[in-house]
Amino acid sequence: MLSKLKVLVLDDHAYQCALLKDMLEEAGFPHVDTALDAHDALDQIWREKHQLVLMDVDMPGMDGAQFIHELACRGLNPILAIVTGCSRRMSNSIGLMAKERGFAVMASFIKPVSTEQIGSLAAGLLRKQTAPAPVRAPAGADQSRPLLDRRMIENALRDGSIQAWFQPKKSLVSGNIVGAEALVRWQHKELGLMLPSSFLASLRAYDLDHELLLRMLDDGLRAYSIWRDQGHRIPISVNLSASLLDLPQLPDELHAMVSGLGIPASDITFELLEDAMPTLAGQFHMGASRLRLKGFGLSQDDFGKGYSSMYNLISTPYTEVKIDRAFVNGAAADESLAAALVASIQLGRQLGLQVTAEGVETLEDLELLRRIGCDVAQGFLISAAVNVATFCELLAYEPNSYFAPLSPPH
């Protein structure tokens, strides 16, 4: 809990350090230290093992970007919160840099900081502490080689140790759960629950994406059937690496699995992950078109990042666009993010697509999404991914036990 966290405030202004220290202590953090320059902060973190650092960006001697670089070089990995008088864009840029270096960035505040903002930081940390911790690679491990044995992964895919957990998608109009995204987890016999960051790179290094897709779809179909027997109709979303569209028979294989259980193809949506594109010319659009012709929903995932583009959105028969969390998280307090969010939602609606926002973590962002006409939201504010039994408990609190299926737009 918060009482066990060691916190460091880094700011070159003594008054700001004292102010934040008081706010943090009032919010429930009893162990708060301060540092007036980055070099001292690095020494303190090394010595005291602080788990949370509130850091300024514009500092003499060593700025915020250099400080994050030094943390990474020294193997120090505290949770970061950025507190700065710089522009919101500068703050966002530093935050992205930190995330790319593997740091968890809990918040980004523009001075002056309020007690409400520190309170929201505390609430976010409490949510994070209740989530399972990822299993990390051993220090000094060779990152160029898969960390896990191929046979071990194949066995886990076969016996169900690698399994789907489900994150609910909620309508911003009715408040009902209107879908579930299947997300991979590994219930390891010795290591406990493993998040995908612990094993997905190894799985992909062994070219097991196809096996993973079939595992996730099979688990999703089983969950759909369980919920249907309880009187619910919950459409399922499954991630599909675009590189698998090189397999010409994939749409037929997937349709056979779904139709064999008497489940409408329209209740299954494949979220295209553009992490690796097909190697065969034209195969992306051929595969995407065939999936739609089979009746499946099709979602452009992480819209606004990576390979995703406006041209791809209008040239592929998508039924849903999912706005990346980078444009959602913190948008209520950031005019630039809010403008990009409004434009994305308007575009999706004008194209007749269901618009889903990922990464919803605060009530302020949720209210903003509702005001600007977003259809569906998912994120930790609503629920983390949970197993089938826990999802059943979430459904028990639904105002209506049954609602009409989501018909994908054409």
Side-chain angles (χ1 to χ4, degrees):
M1 305 304 288
L2 299 182
S3 60
K4 298 180 181 180
L5 285 178
K6 288 186 176 182
V7 184
L8 179 71
V9 176
L10 168 59
D11 197 294
D12 59 317
H13 292 90
Y15 173 76
Q16 185 69 21
C17 283
L19 181 64
L20 287 172
K21 178 180 171 69
D22 289 343
M23 287 183 176
L24 287 161
E25 288 175 346
E26 289 178 7
F29 299 90
H31 308 292
V32 183
D33 298 315
T34 62
L36 295 175
D37 70 79
H39 294 284
D40 180 32
L42 289 167
D43 291 339
Q44 288 197 53
I45 297 168
W46 179 266
R47 205 169 50 244
E48 301 296 332
K49 310 301 181 188
H50 295 93
Q51 294 104 334
L52 171 66
V53 175
L54 279 73
M55 56 169 286
D56 195 4
V57 171
D58 187 11
M59 299 177 292
M62 183 189 299
D63 61 36
Q66 292 172 310
F67 174 69
I68 291 169
H69 174 74
E70 285 298 320
L71 283 174
C73 289
R74 300 184 190 201
L76 302 172
N77 193 33
I79 298 169
L80 300 178
I82 298 169
V83 181
T84 181
C86 295
S87 69
R88 175 64 67 178
R89 288 185 181 180
M90 175 62 73
S91 173
N92 289 343
S93 179
I94 295 293
L96 287 173
M97 171 200 166
K99 290 176 182 178
E100 288 169 356
R101 292 298 186 95
F103 291 94
V105 180
M106 286 300 298
S108 180
F109 303 133
I110 302 299
K111 298 177 183 177
V113 180
S114 67
T115 54
E116 289 77 14
Q117 289 174 316
I118 296 299
S120 70
L121 173 64
L125 283 166
L126 285 172
R127 289 196 299 269
K128 184 177 179 66
Q129 287 181 329
T130 59
V135 178
R136 295 185 177 274
D142 182 359
Q143 298 298 318
S144 65
R145 298 174 54 193
L147 296 172
L148 300 165
D149 178 75
R150 180 188 182 103
R151 182 174 295 178
M152 181 191 303
I153 297 176
E154 289 177 330
N155 288 339
L157 285 167
R158 279 195 296 267
D159 67 21
S161 300
I162 292 179
Q163 59 193 235
W165 282 32
F166 300 92
Q167 186 171 44
K169 301 166 70 174
K170 278 212 168 189
S171 166
L172 290 175
V173 176
S174 68
N176 282 349
I177 295 175
V178 292
E181 180 179 357
L183 297 171
V184 63
R185 299 291 185 265
W186 188 344
Q187 193 67 59
H188 198 282
K189 294 179 181 178
E190 298 174 357
L191 299 177
L193 184 66
M194 296 172 64
L195 301 184
S197 58
S198 306
F199 61 88
L200 207 52
S202 297
L203 186 149
R204 286 175 172 165
Y206 294 128
D207 294 323
L208 294 173
D209 291 89
H210 180 241
E211 289 80 358
L212 176 63
L213 170 64
L214 300 185
R215 173 83 265 167
M216 292 297 98
L217 179 58
D218 187 62
D219 285 356
L221 296 175
R222 291 175 187 272
Y224 180 100
S225 298
I226 291 171
W227 301 329
R228 181 175 59 183
D229 291 344
Q230 296 177 351
H232 305 280
R233 188 170 188 175
I234 307 297
I236 300 292
S237 297
V238 179
N239 293 322
L240 191 160
S241 175
S243 63
L244 292 178
L245 297 180
D246 270 332
L247 303 173
Q249 298 305 314
L250 182 67
D252 304 284
E253 181 181 25
L254 300 177
H255 188 261
M257 291 178 64
V258 174
S259 61
L261 293 176
I263 294 174
S266 58
D267 278 358
I268 307 298
T269 292
F270 291 105
E271 298 187 10
L272 290 184
L273 304 177
E274 299 175 6
D275 48 354
M277 297 299 286
T279 57
L280 301 177
Q283 196 63 38
F284 176 85
H285 287 98
M286 176 181 174
S289 298
R290 292 202 66 226
L291 287 169
R292 283 294 295 124
L293 290 170
K294 294 289 185 184
F296 294 117
L298 206 61
S299 175
Q300 173 154 353
D301 197 24
D302 298 334
F303 181 68
K305 292 190 71 179
Y307 294 103
S308 68
S309 68
M310 189 177 300
Y311 178 76
N312 190 34
L313 189 64
I314 65 174
S315 63
T316 306
Y318 291 113
T319 59
E320 178 188 44
V321 57
K322 297 191 74 174
I323 302 174
D324 188 83
R325 71 181 310 279
F327 295 92
V328 175
N329 192 254
D334 187 320
E335 292 183 359
S336 298
L337 285 180
L341 194 56
V342 169
S344 299
I345 290 172
Q346 289 178 344
L347 175 63
R349 293 180 69 86
Q350 288 171 353
L351 293 174
L353 307 177
Q354 175 177 292
V355 182
T356 299
E358 300 181 282
V360 181
E361 297 182 3
T362 68
L363 285 171
E364 293 79 9
D365 290 338
L366 185 69
E367 288 303 317
L368 172 64
L369 289 165
R370 185 178 285 117
R371 287 199 309 271
I372 61 181
C374 186
D375 299 312
V376 175
Q378 69 179 96
F380 285 126
L381 180 67
I382 298 166
S383 173
V386 295
N387 59 27
V388 176
T390 304
F391 202 100
C392 290
E393 295 175 7
L394 296 178
L395 290 174
Y397 290 98
E398 286 291 279
N400 300 310
S401 62
Y402 182 90
F403 50 85
L406 294 177
S407 299
H410 295 279

